Amino acid sequence: GIVSLISLAVLSYERYCTMTGTTEADTTNYRKTWTGIVLSWTYSLVWTAPPLFGWSSYGPEGPGATCSVNWHSKDMNNASYIICLFIFCLVIPFVIIVYSYGKLLCAIRQVSGINKGTGRTREQRVLIMVVVMVICFLLCWLPYATVAIIATFGKPGLITPAASVIPSILAKSSTVYNPIIYVFLNKQV
């Protein structure tokens, strides 16, 4: 899940840099692509390994069919890890996505002011893709993050195993929606 979130953030930033850069994209050089992939997986490893070394722990999630961070433990060790996950693996990627696509949209708007015909259509396509990306990101990850925060800081038993199933499925299914969004809403793919 974290790889998915970070990949979206890296992709949005890379897309912003490519679209607003002064040089033409080099399709034969995969260095930036590999750097983004390695960065995504390394960042994910940095945030998923701590429970293996004592900062929080992993345990059954929901009805016990899957494994995840132990959201129900109320100790400070666990709470601090949950807060860090929330900030560094949800809020920061979301801010990067909104910033990158917002700046990209502003750049396209400036260009469409010069080219009235094709610029306006392109701006509308990018705007639709950005809105869909942000909505899907929020629909997939915000319920999961909310349930995790409530389970960690709320009253014990407030989140039942049955209530945590849908947010968990939404979050885990986010990797399916991202390629669909890019394929159907991006004519360059």
Side-chain angles (χ1 to χ4, degrees), residues 28-57:
T28 61
N29 186 357
Y30 295 105
R31 185 176 181 161
K32 279 176 61 176
T33 304
W34 281 110
T35 301
I37 292 168
V38 168
L39 176 70
S40 298
W41 281 93
T42 303
Y43 192 85
S44 176
L45 184 62
V46 164
W47 286 108
T48 54
L52 301 175
F53 300 105
W55 189 19
S56 188
S57 63

Side-chain angles (χ1 to χ4, degrees), residues 169-182:
I169 291 171
L170 277 173
K172 288 171 175 58
S173 68
S174 69
T175 56
V176 173
Y177 306 130
N178 299 333
I180 293 170
I181 293 168
Y182 276 103

Side-chain angles (χ1 to χ4, degrees), residues 35-116:
T35 301
I37 292 168
V38 168
L39 176 70
S40 298
W41 281 93
T42 303
Y43 192 85
S44 176
L45 184 62
V46 164
W47 286 108
T48 54
L52 301 175
F53 300 105
W55 189 19
S56 188
S57 63
Y58 287 115
E61 179 180 51
T66 59
C67 182
S68 183
V69 175
N70 184 358
W71 305 114
H72 299 288
S73 176
K74 302 289 184 189
D75 66 353
M76 198 58 200
N77 181 27
N78 190 60
S80 64
Y81 181 68
I82 301 300
I83 290 169
C84 285
L85 275 181
F86 186 78
I87 292 169
F88 291 100
C89 298
L90 181 70
V91 173
I92 290 176
F94 180 69
V95 167
I96 291 170
I97 290 168
V98 170
Y99 172 81
S100 298
Y101 283 128
K103 291 295 240 178
L104 180 60
L105 193 57
C106 288
I108 289 172
R109 238 178 227 208
Q110 288 175 347
V111 171
S112 70
I114 299 166
N115 284 341
K116 291 287 184 193

Side-chain angles (χ1 to χ4, degrees), residues 104-106 108-113 117-130:
L104 180 60
L105 193 57
C106 288
I108 289 172
R109 238 178 227 208
Q110 288 175 347
V111 171
S112 70
T118 59
R120 181 62 69 190
T121 306
R122 183 176 178 201
E123 178 184 345
Q124 289 171 345
R125 277 197 328 265
V126 170
L127 178 61
I128 289 169
M129 187 177 75
V130 168

